[in-house]
Every structure is written in C-alpha cells, then in structure tokens.
Amino acid sequence: MASTHRAPIEEHPDLMELRARHDRAAATPRAQMIEALALITGLYLAASPWIVGFNGFTTLAVTNLIAGIAYMLLLGGLGNSYERTHSMAWAAAAIGIWTCIAPWVVAGDVAHTRSITSNLITGAVATLLALAAASAARDNGTSRARPGRSAEGRRTMP
C-alpha cells in the first residue's frame, strides 16, 4: 500500500495567496488611517467621562470605559488580523451605536448635555470608522471572483 504525503493546509497555494493579499491590504494607508483613528476614538470613549466631566454618573462612566476598551480591542488589531476584520468591524459598529443610545438606556439620570453630546459624536465617529473597516476588509480581502471573471474583475477565457 503506497502512502501519499499531503502538505499541511497552511502551505496550500490559495491560502498563501489569500494571506499575502490580506497583508498587502493591511499595509495600505487607508487601513492604517482607520486603525489609528479607531484607537484614538476608543481611547477617547474610555476616558471621556473624565475628559468631559461626567464621571460622577457612574453607570455611564463604566459603560463608556468598557465600550472604549472593547472598541480598541476590536479595531486596534486591524493590521494583525485583517482577514477577520470584517466580522469584528460589525461588532465595533454595534458598540458605536450603543455609545449613541447609552445616555438614555443605562440606569440612573445620566442624560445631560455634556454626556449626550460626547456620546453622540463619539458613537457616530466610532460607527463610521467601523463601517469603513468593514468596507475595506470586504473590498480588499474577502471579495470572490464571479464565474468568467478574475478577482480583479477582468474577463477570463473559458
């Protein structure tokens, strides 16, 4: 009985090409800009109760701290895990939407002008950055070629 040697899946040419494409996409100025702005946005969200001055509202302060850290963890690793960014970006978009509605949803009377303004602006920016990350991941990493077309959109011969 002859035994056949199979290469590990990590060495498959298609998988290697896909990883190389993800590495190229993560090195683009657009991906780097999104990652940097996402880190700044998440850091501001985590620190906003103390920056803006609504740290006395403990439920919203804790909510913003947790949401900011989670946001930074989700989109901060954009360059390291570009192939998983599409799904992580949708979770980050949900955090951005949560940030917008949090002043009215969390327990206690925390909906004051400073907290509402800060959370609305930060949540909108966070959501837009997350959607941009999802778009970049879809455009550069996970697009599939249609039958009769190459991955770049050019027609191929049958």
Side-chain angles (χ1 to χ4, degrees):
M1 190 189 254
S3 67
T4 59
H5 180 278
R6 292 185 180 254
I9 189 69
E10 292 84 20
E11 295 176 12
H12 191 277
D14 290 340
L15 186 58
M16 292 174 65
E17 191 274 326
L18 183 62
R19 284 187 180 151
R21 189 172 2 150
H22 287 308
D23 289 342
R24 286 190 305 272
T28 64
R30 177 182 177 192
Q32 292 171 353
M33 180 186 68
I34 291 169
E35 182 179 6
L37 290 174
L39 284 172
I40 292 168
T41 301
L43 180 62
Y44 175 79
L45 178 58
S48 64
W50 294 272
I51 293 171
V52 178
F54 59 89
N55 57 341
F57 313 128
T58 56
T59 55
L60 188 59
V62 171
T63 298
N64 281 9
L65 178 65
I66 293 169
I69 291 170
Y71 189 83
M72 285 190 299
L73 291 174
L74 285 171
L75 287 186
L78 184 63
N80 296 331
S81 58
Y82 202 76
E83 62 271 6
R84 294 186 306 259
T85 299
H86 188 72
S87 60
M88 291 188 312
W90 287 109
I95 290 173
I97 293 168
W98 167 254
T99 301
C100 290
I101 64 170
W104 295 282
V105 177
V106 298
D109 183 26
V110 296
H112 299 289
T113 305
R114 287 185 288 183
S115 62
I116 292 171
T117 304
S118 176
N119 274 36
L120 283 176
I121 292 171
T122 307
V125 169
T127 303
L128 291 174
L129 286 171
L131 293 175
S135 171
R138 182 192 51 141
D139 292 345
N140 293 321
T142 60
S143 62
R144 303 253 187 232
R146 294 188 320 240
R149 295 204 179 258
S150 68
E152 293 82 26
R154 294 188 299 257
R155 287 194 150 275
T156 58
M157 298 302 285

Short mmCIF file of all heavy atoms in Angstrom, two decimals, residues 78-108:
data_model
loop_
_atom_site.label_atom_id
_atom_site.label_comp_id
_atom_site.label_asym_id
_atom_site.label_seq_id
_atom_site.Cartn_x
_atom_site.Cartn_y
_atom_site.Cartn_z
N LEU A 78 -6.36 45.74 13.62
CA LEU A 78 -6.69 45.70 12.20
C LEU A 78 -5.53 45.19 11.36
O LEU A 78 -5.71 44.34 10.51
CB LEU A 78 -7.10 47.10 11.75
CG LEU A 78 -7.58 47.27 10.32
CD1 LEU A 78 -8.86 46.48 10.11
CD2 LEU A 78 -7.84 48.74 10.03
N GLY A 79 -4.32 45.65 11.63
CA GLY A 79 -3.18 45.22 10.83
C GLY A 79 -2.77 43.79 11.09
O GLY A 79 -2.26 43.11 10.22
N ASN A 80 -3.00 43.29 12.30
CA ASN A 80 -2.56 41.94 12.65
C ASN A 80 -3.53 40.85 12.21
O ASN A 80 -3.14 39.72 12.02
CB ASN A 80 -2.36 41.83 14.16
CG ASN A 80 -1.25 42.73 14.63
OD1 ASN A 80 -0.33 43.01 13.88
ND2 ASN A 80 -1.33 43.19 15.85
N SER A 81 -4.81 41.17 12.13
CA SER A 81 -5.80 40.14 11.81
C SER A 81 -6.77 40.64 10.76
O SER A 81 -7.97 40.61 10.95
CB SER A 81 -6.55 39.74 13.08
OG SER A 81 -7.16 40.88 13.66
N TYR A 82 -6.23 41.07 9.66
CA TYR A 82 -7.06 41.69 8.63
C TYR A 82 -8.12 40.75 8.07
O TYR A 82 -9.20 41.18 7.71
CB TYR A 82 -6.17 42.23 7.50
CG TYR A 82 -6.83 43.31 6.71
CD1 TYR A 82 -6.92 44.59 7.22
CD2 TYR A 82 -7.38 43.05 5.46
CE1 TYR A 82 -7.53 45.58 6.49
CE2 TYR A 82 -7.98 44.05 4.73
CZ TYR A 82 -8.05 45.32 5.26
OH TYR A 82 -8.66 46.31 4.55
N GLU A 83 -7.82 39.45 8.03
CA GLU A 83 -8.78 38.52 7.46
C GLU A 83 -10.02 38.37 8.32
O GLU A 83 -11.05 37.93 7.85
CB GLU A 83 -8.14 37.15 7.19
CG GLU A 83 -7.62 36.44 8.42
CD GLU A 83 -6.18 36.78 8.78
OE1 GLU A 83 -5.60 37.67 8.15
OE2 GLU A 83 -5.66 36.15 9.71
N ARG A 84 -9.95 38.70 9.62
CA ARG A 84 -11.12 38.62 10.50
C ARG A 84 -11.76 39.98 10.74
O ARG A 84 -12.71 40.09 11.49
CB ARG A 84 -10.71 38.01 11.83
CG ARG A 84 -10.28 36.57 11.72
CD ARG A 84 -10.04 35.97 13.08
NE ARG A 84 -9.10 36.74 13.87
CZ ARG A 84 -7.82 36.45 14.03
NH1 ARG A 84 -7.32 35.40 13.46
NH2 ARG A 84 -7.05 37.21 14.78
N THR A 85 -11.24 41.03 10.12
CA THR A 85 -11.71 42.37 10.40
C THR A 85 -13.16 42.59 10.02
O THR A 85 -13.86 43.34 10.69
CB THR A 85 -10.82 43.39 9.65
OG1 THR A 85 -9.49 43.24 10.13
CG2 THR A 85 -11.27 44.80 9.90
N HIS A 86 -13.63 41.94 8.98
CA HIS A 86 -15.00 42.18 8.52
C HIS A 86 -16.00 41.89 9.63
O HIS A 86 -16.86 42.71 9.92
CB HIS A 86 -15.28 41.34 7.28
CG HIS A 86 -16.58 41.66 6.64
ND1 HIS A 86 -16.78 42.84 5.94
CD2 HIS A 86 -17.75 40.99 6.59
CE1 HIS A 86 -18.03 42.86 5.50
NE2 HIS A 86 -18.63 41.76 5.87
N SER A 87 -15.89 40.76 10.29
CA SER A 87 -16.84 40.44 11.36
C SER A 87 -16.58 41.27 12.60
O SER A 87 -17.52 41.67 13.30
CB SER A 87 -16.79 38.95 11.69
OG SER A 87 -15.50 38.58 12.10
N MET A 88 -15.32 41.55 12.91
CA MET A 88 -15.02 42.38 14.08
C MET A 88 -15.51 43.80 13.87
O MET A 88 -15.92 44.46 14.83
CB MET A 88 -13.51 42.38 14.35
CG MET A 88 -12.99 41.05 14.83
SD MET A 88 -11.27 41.06 15.37
CE MET A 88 -10.42 41.90 14.06
N ALA A 89 -15.47 44.29 12.65
CA ALA A 89 -15.92 45.65 12.37
C ALA A 89 -17.41 45.80 12.62
O ALA A 89 -17.87 46.85 13.07
CB ALA A 89 -15.55 46.04 10.94
N TRP A 90 -18.19 44.76 12.33
CA TRP A 90 -19.63 44.84 12.60
C TRP A 90 -19.89 44.90 14.09
O TRP A 90 -20.80 45.60 14.55
CB TRP A 90 -20.37 43.68 11.94
CG TRP A 90 -20.43 43.87 10.46
CD1 TRP A 90 -19.76 43.16 9.52
CD2 TRP A 90 -21.17 44.87 9.75
NE1 TRP A 90 -20.04 43.66 8.26
CE2 TRP A 90 -20.90 44.70 8.38
CE3 TRP A 90 -22.02 45.89 10.14
CZ2 TRP A 90 -21.47 45.51 7.40
CZ3 TRP A 90 -22.58 46.69 9.16
CH2 TRP A 90 -22.31 46.50 7.81
N ALA A 91 -19.12 44.18 14.88
CA ALA A 91 -19.26 44.26 16.34
C ALA A 91 -18.86 45.65 16.83
O ALA A 91 -19.50 46.21 17.72
CB ALA A 91 -18.41 43.19 17.02
N ALA A 92 -17.82 46.22 16.24
CA ALA A 92 -17.41 47.58 16.61
C ALA A 92 -18.47 48.60 16.22
O ALA A 92 -18.69 49.58 16.93
CB ALA A 92 -16.07 47.91 15.95
N ALA A 93 -19.15 48.38 15.09
CA ALA A 93 -20.24 49.28 14.69
C ALA A 93 -21.38 49.21 15.72
O ALA A 93 -21.99 50.23 16.04
CB ALA A 93 -20.75 48.92 13.30
N ALA A 94 -21.63 48.02 16.24
CA ALA A 94 -22.66 47.89 17.28
C ALA A 94 -22.26 48.65 18.54
O ALA A 94 -23.12 49.28 19.19
CB ALA A 94 -22.90 46.42 17.60
N ILE A 95 -20.98 48.65 18.87
CA ILE A 95 -20.51 49.43 20.02
C ILE A 95 -20.71 50.91 19.76
O ILE A 95 -21.09 51.67 20.65
CB ILE A 95 -19.04 49.11 20.33
CG1 ILE A 95 -18.94 47.69 20.89
CG2 ILE A 95 -18.45 50.11 21.33
CD1 ILE A 95 -17.52 47.21 21.09
N GLY A 96 -20.45 51.36 18.53
CA GLY A 96 -20.68 52.77 18.18
C GLY A 96 -22.14 53.16 18.33
O GLY A 96 -22.46 54.23 18.86
N ILE A 97 -23.03 52.30 17.88
CA ILE A 97 -24.47 52.58 18.01
C ILE A 97 -24.87 52.57 19.48
O ILE A 97 -25.62 53.44 19.94
CB ILE A 97 -25.29 51.56 17.19
CG1 ILE A 97 -25.02 51.79 15.69
CG2 ILE A 97 -26.78 51.67 17.50
CD1 ILE A 97 -25.53 50.68 14.80
N TRP A 98 -24.35 51.61 20.23
CA TRP A 98 -24.62 51.56 21.68
C TRP A 98 -24.17 52.86 22.35
O TRP A 98 -24.86 53.40 23.22
CB TRP A 98 -23.95 50.35 22.32
CG TRP A 98 -23.94 50.46 23.81
CD1 TRP A 98 -22.88 50.75 24.62
CD2 TRP A 98 -25.07 50.30 24.68
NE1 TRP A 98 -23.28 50.78 25.92
CE2 TRP A 98 -24.63 50.52 25.99
CE3 TRP A 98 -26.41 50.02 24.46
CZ2 TRP A 98 -25.47 50.44 27.09
CZ3 TRP A 98 -27.24 49.94 25.57
CH2 TRP A 98 -26.78 50.15 26.85
N THR A 99 -23.01 53.37 21.95
CA THR A 99 -22.49 54.60 22.54
C THR A 99 -23.46 55.76 22.32
O THR A 99 -23.64 56.60 23.21
CB THR A 99 -21.10 54.93 21.95
OG1 THR A 99 -20.23 53.83 22.22
CG2 THR A 99 -20.52 56.19 22.54
N CYS A 100 -24.08 55.79 21.15
CA CYS A 100 -25.04 56.87 20.86
C CYS A 100 -26.27 56.80 21.75
O CYS A 100 -26.79 57.84 22.18
CB CYS A 100 -25.48 56.81 19.39
SG CYS A 100 -24.20 57.26 18.21
N ILE A 101 -26.76 55.61 22.04
CA ILE A 101 -28.00 55.50 22.80
C ILE A 101 -27.79 55.30 24.29
O ILE A 101 -28.74 55.36 25.07
CB ILE A 101 -28.89 54.36 22.23
CG1 ILE A 101 -28.23 53.00 22.40
CG2 ILE A 101 -29.28 54.64 20.80
CD1 ILE A 101 -29.13 51.83 22.08
N ALA A 102 -26.56 55.05 24.73
CA ALA A 102 -26.28 54.74 26.13
C ALA A 102 -26.77 55.79 27.12
O ALA A 102 -27.27 55.42 28.18
CB ALA A 102 -24.79 54.48 26.31
N PRO A 103 -26.66 57.10 26.86
CA PRO A 103 -27.12 58.06 27.88
C PRO A 103 -28.60 57.90 28.24
O PRO A 103 -29.00 58.25 29.35
CB PRO A 103 -26.86 59.42 27.23
CG PRO A 103 -25.77 59.18 26.27
CD PRO A 103 -26.00 57.78 25.75
N TRP A 104 -29.39 57.38 27.34
CA TRP A 104 -30.81 57.22 27.62
C TRP A 104 -31.16 55.81 28.11
O TRP A 104 -32.25 55.59 28.62
CB TRP A 104 -31.64 57.51 26.37
CG TRP A 104 -31.51 58.94 25.96
CD1 TRP A 104 -32.15 60.02 26.51
CD2 TRP A 104 -30.70 59.46 24.91
NE1 TRP A 104 -31.76 61.17 25.87
CE2 TRP A 104 -30.88 60.85 24.88
CE3 TRP A 104 -29.83 58.88 23.98
CZ2 TRP A 104 -30.24 61.68 23.98
CZ3 TRP A 104 -29.18 59.71 23.09
CH2 TRP A 104 -29.39 61.08 23.08
N VAL A 105 -30.25 54.86 27.94
CA VAL A 105 -30.56 53.46 28.24
C VAL A 105 -30.01 53.00 29.60
O VAL A 105 -30.67 52.22 30.27
CB VAL A 105 -30.04 52.55 27.10
CG1 VAL A 105 -30.28 51.09 27.40
CG2 VAL A 105 -30.68 52.93 25.78
N VAL A 106 -28.83 53.47 29.97
CA VAL A 106 -28.23 52.99 31.22
C VAL A 106 -29.02 53.49 32.42
O VAL A 106 -29.73 54.50 32.35
CB VAL A 106 -26.74 53.39 31.35
CG1 VAL A 106 -25.91 52.78 30.25
CG2 VAL A 106 -26.58 54.88 31.39
N ALA A 107 -28.88 52.78 33.52
CA ALA A 107 -29.62 53.11 34.74
C ALA A 107 -29.16 54.44 35.32
O ALA A 107 -27.99 54.80 35.22
CB ALA A 107 -29.43 52.00 35.77
N GLY A 108 -30.08 55.16 35.90
CA GLY A 108 -29.77 56.44 36.53
C GLY A 108 -30.08 57.61 35.62
O GLY A 108 -30.37 57.45 34.44
#
